[in-house]
Amino acid sequence: MATTPSSDGGKPKIPVPAHFSCPVSMELMVDPVMVVTGHTYDRSCIQRWLESGNKTCPVTGIKLRSLELTPNFALRMAIQDWANANGIALNTSQLTSVMEKAVVNTAEGEDGVAVSSAVPHSVIEGHDEIVWAVEATDGRLFSASADKTIRVWDTETRRCLHVLEEHTRPVLSLAISDEHKKLFSGSYDCSIRVWDLTTYRRVKSLHGHTDAVRALAVAGDVLFSGSYDSTVRAFDINTLKPLKVLEGHAEPVRTLAVMDGKLFSGSYDKTVRVWDARALESLGVLEGHGDAVRALAASPVDECNYVFSGSDDSTVRVWDAATLNCVAIFDGHQDNVRVLTADSKHLYSGSWDKTIRVWDMRTLRCVRVLEGHVEAVLALTVMKNHLISGSYDTTVRFWNTESFACVGKFEGHEDAVRVLTSTGEDADTVYSGSYDGSIGFWSEPIAAAAPPSTSAGGSGLSDVSDAMAGLSVTPAS
């Protein structure tokens, strides 16, 4: 029978009831979760088992048809009651409150070294339909979905704090103004909802568009919205009154970017239009793409005053944000360019051709082609020393931005990974949204250290595989 570890004061060990012990570690469970076979394990142990490449139930050997981990609330409460009665302190800071999918890393790091994370990755069921947008601030994540809601998540506990329900059709876009403490959401219902970031109550609904609001951007005290009605609208964030309708595009406006006091709008009409973000006047039309413009990105580096546009014509164009001249055309992709992101050194472009291309921000040359995804690349973002990509193939991949090696391939979402976000290049966490409605929390990868050995008579799990060697497992026939 398992026992609790003795305290420094020499308090005798307490026998742990068998049904409170994890079948893998034989230790008291803190966060018991059930796999689809109905067997319960401590979350940390079963996640390590799955991340080692195993896809079977440790006790029965039966192949798991799903990697979902369901919290066993009844057993958790019983364990906590027993621990309290026996004066045992449990670390419950990371307990989950909703169904969580197991995350499996099916890739090795550089030189075959396994990669893990300081905080476990997790994929949590939240929305009922496709997640169209995710935005993050320090401590909070916001996700927008086709289920007409916006969810607010605590990024430390990974719990849903609020569900914002006002839109009458799918929510497609989000923007945040920390300065004004406001969240903006755009929807297929043609409206923009304004939410107070302190109370999470709706402040106002902004109307005027006659079709879906597909893109939002904040520039100073002005909110810009791009719509499938081919217009861009400007609103005063302080008064929440409309300022102007920016007309000129002939087809839906798909994407917006802000740089140096200018707003750039990309459209299915193959053009990028440039507007003065203060005077709200047209500054020019950037032409050259042969098909719809789906992505825009602004350089975060002052010395590289560029805006990049990605198109269904398979190219990326580089525009000088001051002169508005096209200074380079990036060729190489074999299909639509769907997403762009940048860090201080590189621009990254993701395509339906299943690849990611890395472009040097200063030389404007392609320095690497990242291959690995087996379906279209839909989402990109950056974090500390890493590029993260999401794909129709349902996986999230981590790429080291020094070596460009793939240091992690994570399975957890059950459908396409549609969107990714982080708080920037220095972030230590990335968030994903999927077609299956789930939200992913991904931590900075680190090289896995060798598991510590346990002295004789000590407690603890030194290695899941070693622990499994002591179990009698009969594979299913």
Side-chain angles (χ1 to χ4, degrees):
M1 175 181 290
T3 59
T4 61
S6 60
S7 66
D8 293 338
K11 185 176 179 179
K13 298 179 180 180
I14 302 171
V16 176
H19 56 292
F20 290 172
S21 301
C22 175
V24 174
S25 67
M26 300 307 296
E27 293 183 345
L28 178 66
M29 290 185 283
V30 175
D31 190 5
V33 293
M34 292 183 292
V35 296
V36 292
T37 60
H39 290 79
T40 296
Y41 304 90
D42 201 31
R43 181 183 298 277
S44 61
C45 291
I46 191 64
Q47 283 187 326
R48 288 165 62 188
W49 168 253
L50 294 170
E51 288 176 358
S52 296
N54 303 291
K55 295 187 179 182
T56 58
C57 173
V59 170
T60 65
I62 296 174
K63 184 176 181 179
L64 299 172
R65 62 181 183 277
S66 168
L67 298 180
E68 288 179 350
L69 302 179
T70 306
N72 190 332
F73 292 114
L75 184 57
R76 181 196 295 179
M77 290 300 297
I79 291 173
Q80 289 176 351
D81 289 344
W82 177 85
N84 290 336
N86 287 277
I88 300 169
L90 299 177
N91 179 11
T92 60
S93 61
Q94 292 294 326
L95 297 186
T96 55
S97 57
V98 294
M99 183 176 289
E100 186 170 337
K101 301 172 187 292
V103 175
V104 179
N105 182 4
T106 56
E108 290 183 331
E110 300 173 70
D111 301 321
V113 178
V115 171
S116 63
S117 62
V119 179
H121 306 300
S122 59
V123 175
I124 299 174
E125 290 191 353
H127 291 284
D128 296 327
E129 297 183 43
I130 295 173
V131 177
W132 282 114
V134 284
E135 290 289 338
T137 62
D138 290 339
R140 293 291 182 267
L141 171 70
F142 304 90
S143 57
S145 169
D147 67 10
K148 310 173 191 176
T149 71
I150 301 116
R151 285 181 175 259
V152 184
W153 305 83
D154 185 304
T155 57
E156 182 177 356
T157 64
R158 305 183 180 186
R159 294 181 179 179
C160 180
L161 302 176
H162 303 276
V163 180
L164 311 183
E165 299 175 296
E166 284 269 346
H167 285 291
T168 58
R169 296 194 64 192
V171 187
L172 300 175
S173 53
L174 295 171
I176 297 168
S177 175
D178 285 324
E179 178 185 350
H180 302 88
K181 298 190 182 306
K182 288 183 174 68
L183 168 72
F184 306 95
S185 57
S187 167
Y188 255 120
D189 64 15
C190 308
S191 76
I192 301 163
R193 297 293 203 269
V194 185
W195 310 88
D196 187 299
L197 283 179
T198 304
T199 64
Y200 297 107
R201 293 177 181 268
R202 178 180 59 80
V203 177
K204 193 169 184 178
S205 296
L206 306 180
H207 299 278
H209 285 297
T210 58
D211 207 335
V213 180
R214 192 62 185 89
L216 295 169
V218 172
D221 292 330
V222 181
L223 170 71
F224 293 97
S225 57
S227 170
Y228 283 171
D229 66 10
S230 305
T231 70
V232 176
R233 285 179 176 261
F235 300 86
D236 186 300
I237 295 179
N238 293 307
T239 65
L240 298 179
K241 292 182 177 180
L243 296 173
K244 193 171 184 179
V245 181
L246 308 182
E247 298 179 300
H249 283 296
E251 292 189 41
V253 177
R254 175 62 181 81
T255 179
L256 301 173
V258 175
M259 186 175 190
D260 288 347
K262 300 181 180 73
L263 174 76
F264 296 77
S265 56
S267 168
Y268 291 170
D269 67 8
K270 310 176 188 178
T271 71
V272 177
R273 284 183 174 263
V274 189
W275 316 85
D276 187 305
R278 297 178 183 85
L280 304 180
E281 299 292 340
S282 176
L283 296 176
V285 182
L286 311 184
E287 298 178 304
H289 281 298
D291 211 330
V293 178
R294 291 186 181 272
L296 291 172
S299 167
V301 184
D302 291 338
E303 64 187 88
C304 301
N305 197 32
Y306 301 133
V307 169
F308 306 89
S309 57
S311 168
D312 283 359
D313 66 9
S314 306
T315 71
V316 176
R317 284 181 173 256
V318 186
W319 309 91
D320 186 303
T323 66
L324 303 185
N325 292 326
C326 181
V327 297
I329 301 174
F330 293 164
D331 292 303
H333 282 298
Q334 303 302 308
D335 210 332
N336 303 354
V337 177
R338 296 304 295 262
V339 62
L340 300 172
T341 197
D343 60 21
S344 57
K345 294 181 180 179
H346 302 102
L347 173 81
Y348 306 94
S349 56
S351 168
W352 273 75
D353 67 10
K354 310 173 188 177
T355 71
I356 302 159
R357 285 184 172 257
V358 183
W359 310 89
D360 188 288
M361 195 85 72
R362 291 157 180 81
T363 66
L364 301 181
R365 295 181 180 275
C366 182
V367 295
R368 195 64 63 97
V369 179
L370 309 182
E371 298 179 306
H373 284 295
V374 296
E375 296 290 347
V377 178
L378 300 179
L380 296 171
T381 195
V382 292
M383 68 184 303
K384 287 182 180 177
N385 304 314
H386 292 86
L387 169 73
I388 294 81
S389 58
S391 167
Y392 253 124
D393 65 16
T394 77
T395 68
V396 172
R397 283 180 176 259
F398 282 71
W399 310 84
N400 182 287
T401 51
E402 294 296 330
S403 66
F404 295 111
C406 179
V407 296
K409 173 191 171 186
F410 294 96
E411 299 174 358
H413 291 297
E414 295 180 355
D415 207 334
V417 180
R418 183 65 184 83
V419 285
L420 290 164
T421 194
S422 73
T423 55
E425 189 173 349
D426 294 328
D428 54 16
T429 307
V430 162
Y431 313 97
S432 58
S434 168
Y435 275 25
D436 66 10
S438 62
I439 302 295
F441 295 76
W442 312 94
S443 301
E444 181 185 3
I446 57 174
S453 58
T454 352
S455 59
S459 60
L461 177 63
S462 62
D463 185 87
V464 172
S465 299
D466 290 344
M468 288 308 303
L471 292 178
S472 175
V473 179
T474 304
S477 57

